[in-house]
Amino acid sequence: ETGVTQSPTHLIKTRGQQVTLRCSSQSGHNTVSWYQQALGQGPQFIFQYYREEENGRGNFPPRFSGLQFPNYSSELNVNALELDDSALYLCASRAGTGGDPRNGYTFGSGTRLTVV
Amino acid sequence: AQKITQTQPGMFVQEKEAVTLDCTYDTSDQSYGLFWYKQPSSGEMIFLIYQGSYDEQNATEGRYSLNFQKARKSANLVISASQLGDSAMYFCAMRGGLSGGYQKVTFGTGTKLQVIP
């Protein structure tokens, strides 16, 4: 299986609710990162998982959490949604946590979350 | 802290012409990597080209080349022979070393390129 698949593609939630976004990474890609991209902005790093453990985090509050599973899938969970959480959420994966950075991340097409 | 600056919100280029997209960066790390990504309207980020901070040669990938000037901390993307399919958002990004966090990739705000027939 090739590529990174994210689901759902679009989602509308109400402020205060919880949401789970899913990502299916390419086989062999044991590193997955999640990014938040607000409209008109560049992606902002949320966190990264390697072999099912978080090994890096950006400036996001604890209500943003994640899970990574042995089958190369992962989840981003956001609790107590706020209006400012409306954004495109991108999942990116690669093989290994170090190595040749030319092995760039493979990104999915994202989930567009709207909080009303 | 790492920072990427892209000062061109939008650019137009005539089909078949070359275009340069500007990127400057700031980091205290000695070892870092610079990337360019293309984001079409579909949303996915497409990897274009990579330049390592210790690479002596400018990176090239087909029609894409990276004009790396380390002393000036700039990493401009040059697209030669523009095609209509090149119309998209372009992001400059950096993966840092010890201070920036090896895991984190920092993106700029992007440049919207429109290719005119």
Side-chain angles (χ1 to χ4, degrees):
Chain A
E1 182 182 350
T2 59
V4 176
T5 305
Q6 292 187 243
S7 62
T9 55
H10 295 82
L11 197 55
I12 299 175
K13 287 287 195 178
T14 303
R15 189 172 51 182
Q17 283 188 314
Q18 179 268 343
V19 69
T20 297
L21 309 182
R22 293 181 172 81
C23 172
S24 178
S25 299
Q26 199 165 319
S27 180
H29 281 197
N30 50 15
T31 298
V32 64
S33 302
W34 284 89
Y35 289 80
Q36 181 195 65
Q37 186 178 15
L39 199 62
Q41 300 295 316
Q44 299 289 317
F45 176 74
I46 303 175
F47 47 57
Q48 176 170 290
Y49 278 77
Y50 173 64
R51 290 186 176 175
E52 301 161 49
E53 301 229 352
E54 184 181 302
N55 72 340
R57 190 175 184 94
N59 296 326
F60 281 80
R63 60 189 185 84
F64 286 79
S65 63
L67 286 171
Q68 185 186 26
F69 304 100
N71 65 350
Y72 306 114
S73 66
S74 60
E75 290 180 353
L76 164 65
N77 299 290
V78 187
N79 292 323
L81 283 167
E82 300 176 1
L83 297 180
D84 285 349
D85 296 334
S86 295
L88 178 69
Y89 287 84
L90 293 163
C91 167
S93 70
R94 67 187 295 252
T97 188
D100 188 348
R102 285 173 178 78
N103 297 326
Y105 287 88
T106 301
F107 281 80
S109 296
T111 293
R112 187 163 298 282
L113 172 66
T114 303
V115 182
V116 297
Chain B
Q2 298 175 121
K3 187 177 180 182
I4 296 284
T5 302
Q6 294 180 256
T7 57
Q8 304 156 314
M11 291 279 287
F12 288 91
V13 64
Q14 204 77 35
E15 193 178 5
K16 299 180 184 177
E17 296 291 313
V19 63
T20 298
L21 306 184
D22 294 341
C23 171
T24 59
Y25 61 91
D26 191 22
T27 181
S28 56
D29 291 318
Q30 297 301 309
S31 176
Y32 50 88
L34 295 156
F35 300 82
W36 277 91
Y37 285 89
K38 172 183 177 182
Q39 187 178 42
S41 56
S42 60
E44 68 180 298
M45 303 288 278
I46 301 168
F47 168 74
L48 295 178
I49 196 166
Y50 168 84
Q51 178 85 41
S53 58
Y54 292 118
D55 291 344
E56 294 184 352
Q57 303 279 344
N58 285 343
T60 59
E61 292 285 350
R63 295 187 298 112
Y64 305 108
S65 61
L66 199 152
N67 184 1
F68 181 48
Q69 298 187 45
K70 193 171 182 177
R72 299 178 62 180
K73 292 189 173 179
S74 75
N76 298 340
L77 176 70
V78 180
I79 305 175
S80 62
S82 296
Q83 302 172 356
L84 296 178
D86 294 335
S87 294
M89 284 291 289
Y90 287 81
F91 290 95
C92 180
M94 176 167 59
R95 181 180 170 192
L98 199 59
S99 72
Y102 291 102
Q103 307 87 2
K104 176 182 175 181
V105 177
T106 301
F107 287 83
T109 53
T111 296
K112 184 172 183 178
L113 177 67
Q114 295 186 68
V115 180
I116 305 167

